[in-house]
Amino acid sequence: MAEPTAAPRAGGVDKAPILRHLMSLAPLPAQPAPAEDALAGRTVLVLGGDDRFLTSVRAAVRAHGGRPAGWDEAAGGPDVDGPVDAIVDGGLPAGTPVAAGAWHAAMDRTVTALHHVYEDWARESDARRLHYLAVTSLGGAMGLTDVPDAQPLGGLWAGLAKTLPREFPACDVRVLDLAPSVDPGPAAVAELLGGRLLEVGHTAEGRHALLAHATEIDGKPIDLTPDDVLLMTGGARGIGFEFALAVALRTGCRVLVSGRTPLPADRPDWLVASAEAFAALERRAYAERDPDEPLHAVRRRLGRMAQLREVHHNLERARLAGAELAYHACEVTDPEQVAALVRAAGPGLSVVVHNAGIDLPKRLRGKSVDQFRQVIGVKVDGFLHLLAALADAPLKMLCAVGSLTGRYGGMVGQTDYAAANEGLARLALRAGQRRSHPVKVLAWPTWDGVGLITNLDAASRYMTPIGVADGVDAWLAEITREGSGEVCFMGEIGLVAPQHLRGIAVPSDWRGRTGMLSRRFFLGEVITYAPTATVVTEHRLDPTWASCLDEVRVAGAPGLPLSLALEYLLDGAGWLVPGGEPATAVALCDIAVRPGALRLDGGTLDLTREVRLEPGTVHRPELATTPLRGARVTLRRRGAVAAEATVLLTVPASSPTSAGSPTSGGEGAPAPAERTDQPAADGQGYDWLPYLVSVSPWRDLDGWRAEVEPIRPSEWFALVDPPHPRLPSAALEAAVAVSPVAPGARRGELWRAERLRLTGLDRRATALSLAGSTHRVLAADGGEVAELLGARWVSETP
């Protein structure tokens, strides 16, 4: 798939090329049954579903040593005392009518239950204790195939589940979709305790996962002419209007957009006032407000006025452009208003786009059940009202506008918005399977500067936004090509939770695929996770596929290459989010690696990595002009320290952790390195097989320099998608080879370095230079990739 070049946004957020991908089913191996005592001492709250579901899941929990709890509606809490360790949520039973509002009571119960556990779950850091499993009833295919009596409204719980890690970082989440023939209890407990993927389906034939694959659009063309009418719910502002205007201008069809509030018929002054005049009006509204009117009421009133001003401005913009675009007021949660909107489109109605949506971002503990109803109602109930009003109208295309928050999980504060979009997606899939005309649901990432996102900079930390022009082009292409189903568009993923990283379906042909799979590999199994404080993970390397273990010899035995130990240290710090903001590693300092602790002595190489954020900030002007945070990363084998370093992280200026008095700044900028003798490698104690590191003869070019051939990931990992280390492994191994040995020390005993500065890890390292105690890793053009200072072999004992 061709990838357009991304252009930078003026505000500093890069726009991403769009990857179009679809979901299909892939078979999975059977899930081993958990141990009989796997839930011993743990309380599992079982919610929703029908009697069969409740009975089966409770029995399975007991069979594995757990204590099942039910929900006491009268008391508003579990019917047993003590903390809740897991929730298995059946949401709506399969037989519940697929109707507007049918989900209210079940969702209210789920939200109330999450409020009940919130304080306990939000502060928990043990990544093996907490679980939330949403169980849906779409036939085991997650809505991709038409199944009688399927319950698409279960998608609400699927979207909510995938966003819970933003609220509960240590909580393990899953979505399990079941065929009617599958006994829910054993399947639920097996996935609760043993699964890895975010979404799994169980049918009589076995387990299935979702597979994401990049796909070009290929449906038959749909012609839109001036005789056609395109109707949009929403569409008067933001992304929707940009699309509506483009459709009207490019196809000539008549476009009818809608909004919740009628435009004032008398054109009041505030509606047509200049931006400066309206700003003055806002200031007067606050200064002269009635004492009985709360500030939040003033804000809401001014907000509605600002929205209507945007609608008026957009309609004027369309008129001046010569587009036939009209506005109709419609509250989509009111079926009569939706029916009136459809009638207003007239007999030429050929394309309908359900674009209406609201987002009320707020952390779950402060989000009420009424807010859940509001956000979900616009997307889900609005779509159901549209289906009823359209009846069997012969459309050319029905398009539902969704979001990747449903498919992959949303941001902090978007549990309801993610639920709404995933519920909409599964409803649209069902409609496409049962209607005679095409039905598509488009799952979008953040758009650049328009749409419901109130904080673009925050949203951009999760995924790079797409450009408006690119998004409009892709959207117009979708509605003018036949086909049904869910179409996903993706930018580049940024701030991702460990649960998402290990569980989402990574699309094929996506340019970020290698990076995501590499992050997944080096993440390992999470044991403890408190993203602003500590991360503990476990890692297992098996020599049957980790061929890197046979590339190095430590005292004659195979071992982990020292550069990969540094890779694990660097990756560990990447999971900390100081002050809640993304951070970038700029250097590893105070490095110590003990190759003897990384020897392979039969079986697998099992490691534990602990990362802890150090208190205070650090000023290191030779590394960064802004304050840094230190994260101490330790790699252990059988309890013994095998490698350790302090990773220095940038702290965004907006982060509260950058305030206050800095700690000691350490050393200043290093003095120019002194001349050294020609480097010489000594293979005793820590050495390489001849084909591991290809280093040319050292040349005296105003300092010693050698060309280094990078190591291919497939040479170190015999895997289909081998992980790609970020560090320049070959150059670092070459530096280790020529590191001096302190008097009384032995090569291979303890390798130390003062600092590994990371200056250009996105560049391909091809050379290594040495002057004094400083190694510089260089790219082909001479630019610096990294700088290693003070590397040497020392004795373990002082």
Side-chain angles (χ1 to χ4, degrees):
M1 179 177 180
E3 295 179 343
T5 301
R9 187 175 72 89
V13 177
D14 290 338
K15 294 180 291 186
I18 302 176
L19 174 79
R20 181 187 190 271
H21 62 286
L22 307 178
M23 295 290 176
S24 61
L25 293 176
L28 288 174
Q31 182 75 349
E36 291 186 359
D37 62 349
L39 289 172
R42 305 170 76 181
T43 298
V44 179
L45 177 60
V46 187
L47 298 175
D50 55 19
D51 289 342
R52 173 176 176 260
F53 169 83
L54 294 170
T55 301
S56 178
V57 174
R58 288 169 179 165
V61 169
R62 290 191 192 93
H64 291 86
R67 180 176 67 156
W71 187 254
D72 186 333
E73 295 285 357
D79 57 11
V80 300
D81 295 329
V84 171
D85 303 298
I87 296 176
V88 179
D89 197 337
L92 283 176
T96 303
V98 181
W103 48 272
H104 283 182
M107 183 55 70
D108 290 355
R109 180 175 55 236
T110 293
V111 174
T112 305
L114 291 172
H115 284 167
H116 177 83
V117 302
Y118 193 95
E119 295 304 324
D120 175 28
W121 285 29
R123 64 173 175 260
E124 181 59 76
S125 61
D126 184 347
R128 294 170 293 186
R129 176 198 160 202
L130 303 179
H131 303 270
Y132 179 90
L133 176 71
V135 182
T136 60
S137 304
L138 282 157
M142 285 77 85
L144 297 185
T145 61
D146 189 15
V147 176
D149 300 322
Q151 180 49 270
L153 291 172
L156 298 174
W157 282 263
L160 181 149
K162 287 179 280 188
T163 308
L164 282 182
R166 302 298 188 190
E167 303 282 344
F168 310 131
C171 181
D172 194 36
V173 299
R174 300 281 193 287
V175 179
L176 170 62
D177 188 43
L178 296 178
S181 59
V182 176
D183 189 4
V189 171
E191 293 297 340
L192 184 81
L193 296 173
R196 291 182 59 88
L197 299 176
L198 277 180
E199 296 185 76
V200 173
H202 282 218
T203 67
E205 290 72 36
R207 300 170 72 230
H208 303 277
L210 291 172
L211 181 65
H213 50 97
T215 308
E216 298 280 0
I217 188 169
D218 62 356
K220 293 181 180 179
I222 296 173
D223 292 328
L224 295 182
T225 71
D227 294 328
D228 290 305
V229 176
L230 183 146
L231 168 64
M232 288 187 74
T233 63
R237 301 188 301 118
I239 296 168
F241 176 76
E242 299 301 326
F243 167 72
L245 180 59
V247 171
L249 292 176
R250 297 186 198 180
T251 69
C253 71
R254 183 164 68 91
V255 177
L256 179 61
V257 298
S258 71
R260 304 176 72 184
T261 308
L263 283 170
D266 56 353
R267 290 171 61 90
D269 291 343
W270 60 262
L271 186 69
V272 297
S274 67
E276 294 78 10
F278 186 71
L281 181 150
E282 290 180 306
R283 290 192 294 270
R284 289 196 303 273
Y286 285 111
E288 301 172 4
R289 70 183 177 90
D290 189 310
D292 294 332
E293 184 180 21
L295 279 175
H296 65 82
V298 178
R299 283 194 294 269
R300 281 201 303 268
R301 175 161 55 84
L302 291 172
R304 287 192 295 268
M305 292 166 66
Q307 290 176 357
L308 289 174
R309 280 171 52 81
E310 184 182 353
V311 172
H312 172 76
H313 168 79
N314 286 342
L315 294 175
E316 280 295 297
R317 180 179 156 200
R319 182 183 66 80
L320 293 173
E324 192 171 351
L325 192 151
Y327 176 79
H328 189 103
C330 176
E331 170 54 70
V332 295
T333 58
D334 183 335
E336 294 183 0
Q337 292 191 41
V338 174
L341 178 65
V342 171
R343 288 194 299 270
L349 181 61
S350 56
V351 177
V352 176
V353 179
H354 181 45
N355 177 67
I358 59 172
D359 186 17
L360 303 174
K362 183 185 292 185
R363 281 198 177 271
L364 180 59
R365 64 184 169 197
K367 196 181 290 282
S368 68
V369 293
D370 287 339
Q371 287 172 315
F372 266 79
R373 288 190 179 192
Q374 279 183 272
V375 172
I376 294 173
V378 173
K379 287 276 187 182
V380 168
D381 292 352
F383 186 71
L384 290 169
H385 293 326
L386 259 182
L387 294 178
L390 291 168
D392 55 358
L395 299 179
K396 293 181 179 180
M397 171 66 69
L398 172 59
C399 174
V401 180
S403 166
L404 288 185
T405 59
R407 171 51 59 201
Y408 294 117
M411 304 191 310
V412 172
Q414 286 191 317
T415 44
D416 50 357
Y417 188 66
N421 280 287
E422 187 69 340
L424 174 65
R426 301 198 186 199
L427 283 171
L429 286 173
R430 180 176 180 264
Q433 294 154 1
R434 301 187 177 193
R435 294 198 163 226
S436 59
H437 55 74
V439 182
K440 290 184 180 180
V441 56
L442 310 181
W444 295 107
T446 301
W447 288 48
D448 182 32
V450 293
L452 292 178
I453 296 298
T454 55
N455 188 336
L456 179 63
D457 288 335
S460 300
R461 298 175 193 134
Y462 294 86
M463 181 174 290
T464 308
I466 63 173
V468 174
D470 292 339
V472 167
D473 289 345
W475 195 347
L476 185 56
E478 293 297 338
I479 70 160
T480 54
R481 290 292 190 116
E482 291 185 356
S484 291
E486 182 184 25
V487 182
C488 301
F489 299 93
M490 181 178 281
E492 290 195 47
I493 293 179
L495 185 60
V496 61
Q499 298 91 328
H500 291 122
L501 178 64
R502 76 175 192 172
I504 64 173
V506 180
S508 62
D509 295 340
W510 175 45
R511 73 175 188 174
R513 176 181 175 85
T514 296
M516 286 289 286
L517 293 179
S518 298
R519 291 171 72 184
R520 181 184 290 179
F521 176 88
F522 288 112
L523 169 64
E525 294 294 326
V526 182
I527 305 305
T528 301
Y529 187 51
T532 60
T534 184
V535 185
V536 179
T537 53
E538 291 180 344
H539 308 264
R540 171 166 291 181
L541 289 95
D542 191 320
T544 60
W545 52 260
S547 48
C548 59
L549 295 175
D550 197 38
E551 307 283 7
V552 171
R553 292 293 181 271
V554 181
L560 184 72
L562 191 149
S563 61
L564 284 183
L566 297 180
E567 186 73 32
Y568 277 102
L569 297 178
L570 172 64
D571 175 81
W575 293 104
L576 289 180
V577 189
E581 300 283 348
T584 302
V586 298
L588 283 72
C589 299
D590 303 323
I591 303 168
V593 182
R594 297 167 177 82
L598 298 170
R599 296 175 66 197
L600 182 68
D601 49 11
T604 59
L605 182 66
D606 297 322
L607 305 170
T608 300
R609 181 177 65 193
E610 181 179 0
V611 189
R612 294 197 178 276
L613 190 65
E614 295 182 333
T617 56
V618 180
H619 277 190
R620 296 290 295 268
E622 78 280 12
L623 298 176
T625 58
T626 58
L628 302 173
R629 293 296 303 270
R632 190 63 181 173
V633 189
T634 305
L635 200 63
R636 288 186 170 87
R637 169 106 179 281
R638 297 169 181 161
V641 175
E644 56 189 332
T646 296
V647 182
L648 295 181
L649 306 165
T650 60
V651 179
S654 60
S655 171
T657 59
S658 63
S661 300
T663 60
S664 172
E667 63 187 87
E674 297 178 358
R675 184 77 178 191
T676 187
D677 294 332
Q678 179 174 350
D682 180 353
Q684 299 299 314
Y686 180 88
D687 59 324
W688 300 262
L689 296 182
Y691 50 83
L692 173 66
V693 180
S694 176
V695 182
S696 71
W698 290 89
R699 294 179 295 161
D700 187 355
L701 300 173
D702 193 23
W704 296 103
R705 176 186 171 108
E707 309 305 314
V708 179
E709 182 66 27
I711 300 170
R712 291 188 294 270
S714 58
E715 294 175 330
W716 271 7
F717 303 100
L719 300 170
V720 174
D721 289 299
H724 288 228
R726 294 179 60 208
L727 293 174
S729 302
L732 289 176
E733 292 292 344
V736 170
V738 296
S739 294
V741 182
R746 292 179 294 107
R747 187 178 299 274
E749 183 177 2
L750 174 61
W751 185 83
R752 285 192 175 275
E754 295 174 32
R755 184 183 73 209
L756 175 61
R757 183 165 64 101
L758 312 174
T759 51
L761 294 187
D762 57 333
R763 314 180 74 178
R764 186 171 184 264
T766 61
L768 182 68
S769 72
L770 173 62
S773 62
T774 301
H775 294 84
R776 295 179 68 231
V777 182
L778 305 174
D781 62 1
E784 189 175 271
V785 176
E787 179 189 70
L788 180 64
L789 180 66
R792 62 201 182 280
W793 292 100
V794 300
S795 175
E796 184 70 58
T797 57

